[in-house]
Amino acid sequence: MQEFDFAIVGAGIAGVSAAYHFAPRARVIILEREHVPAYHTTGRSAALHSETYGSAEIRAITVATGRFYRNPPPGFAERPVLTPRGALIAGRAEQQPALQKAAAEYASLVPSVRWLEPPEVLARQPLLKPEAAGGGAVFEPEADDMDVAAIHAGFLRGARAAGAVLRLNAEVAALDRKNGRWEIRLGDGETIAAANIVNTSGAWADVVGGLAGARPVGLVPKRRTAFTFDAPAGVAIEKMPMVIDFDESWYIKPEVGQFLASPADETPSPPCDAQPDEMDIAIAVDRIETATTLQIRRLKNKWAGLRSFVSDKNLVVGYDGSVPGFFWLAGQGGYGIQTGAAAGRLAASLALDGKLPADIVELGVTEAALSPGRFTQR
Ligand SMILES: Cc1cc2nc3c(=O)[nH]c(=O)nc-3n(C[C@H](O)[C@H](O)[C@H](O)COP(=O)(O)OP(=O)(O)OC[C@H]3O[C@@H](n4cnc5c(N)ncnc54)[C@H](O)[C@@H]3O)c2cc1C
């Protein structure tokens, strides 16, 4: 039987970042059920790195991750993995006080964030109708596009270089703790042994926790739909910022020659291979055509993915309080890529050193805020 220190379940962004940070110090295997890594949520994101999005802890871990993505170690990727985009959170006239309050709050963590007057919003994003920007906007100039494929590949390459093994078509079907180690039975009947499990199984995190006998953290996978469509002929969109409406009921993000769009839906779903729903797409088209001058005639591509949240929308990171050798790295919600690097690093630090890295503590993150015990303690 092959024997490892850590068996990481799932090869999305959480699994490969964990492997990258654990592998220099431990024997690591990544077990992925699908025939390719990043098949589920990681391959379906909108790829924005926003330091104003999410809870205070999520924003802090995003800041720490930005430091890694902006200056990765040599050989991590061939090109920069972050490129400037900018993001506008725009609102109607009656939302102006709330927008100004949000801008002030975000600026305390990200000093470049500021509130823009309606005319400035329209100058930066002329496709918005004036009424959709009547309250101005929170402007985050340092929000960046992420090259998710390059980031995922960089973590995987680095993990393998440090000795980690990736097994595809390797569903974790059963977990038994015997004599202080886990016997991991795969879907094909093979058994692998590891001292510890790292649960990075995304939407399936409570299912995998259940295999180990852990109490659920109450993870709720929520489907989010996305699609792309061509930009209007003759309009140069490459330098335009992403626009998110203040109610988070739609967004559009320029990509090469096209827009990526979403109704920002959050429909609870069992863990599965999520598919887009035509009604959600129709809702998005209507909202975007109402708020902008865009006419969406034909979709180029459409998909959906599961963003999985616990009740406080923070990450769940740490050893389970009741099941020895079972480590959670779950609850990535809508922030798994933008928190990816620092989440993997803080997981390795907690698992191997029993404490968070000092730079992440300095940003205001505590072990208690991430602990699975906040949901699983009896
Ligand atoms: C439309 C959309 C837009 C988004 N936009 C952004 C964004 O702009 N910025 C951002 O940071 N995030 C964004 N996200 C969220 C981000 O994509 C997720 O937070 C992140 O991908 C979650 O990564 P993960 O590794 O936890 O999960 P996943 O990528 O789903 O990986 C989990 C893996 O575990 C495997 N697995 C499960 N059970 C088992 C088992 N029993 N045995 C073996 N393997 C198993 C699965 O096959 C899967 O590959 C978006 C998501 C969506 C859907």
Side-chain angles (χ1 to χ4, degrees), residues 241-266:
M242 178 169 179
V243 182
I244 305 143
D245 88 320
F246 191 49
D247 298 325
E248 209 187 339
S249 65
W250 60 270
Y251 61 73
I252 51 170
K253 181 173 185 259
E255 297 208 320
V256 187
Q258 60 181 15
F259 280 103
L260 184 158
S262 174
D265 47 331
E266 295 197 325

Side-chain angles (χ1 to χ4, degrees), residues 175-260:
L175 294 171
D176 283 311
R177 184 106 179 139
K178 286 187 189 155
N179 306 322
R181 65 171 198 177
W182 291 100
E183 286 186 15
I184 304 163
R185 192 162 47 75
L186 302 183
D188 65 3
E190 188 189 344
T191 304
I192 289 170
N196 300 281
I197 303 291
V198 181
N199 182 9
T200 58
S201 57
W204 288 267
D206 267 337
V207 177
V208 170
L211 296 179
R215 283 166 68 96
V217 294
L219 195 73
V220 181
K222 295 182 176 176
R223 189 182 68 228
R224 176 154 290 190
T225 311
F227 55 92
T228 54
F229 60 93
D230 276 333
V235 178
I237 68 161
E238 275 67 33
K239 296 217 157 58
M240 288 178 176
M242 178 169 179
V243 182
I244 305 143
D245 88 320
F246 191 49
D247 298 325
E248 209 187 339
S249 65
W250 60 270
Y251 61 73
I252 51 170
K253 181 173 185 259
E255 297 208 320
V256 187
Q258 60 181 15
F259 280 103
L260 184 158

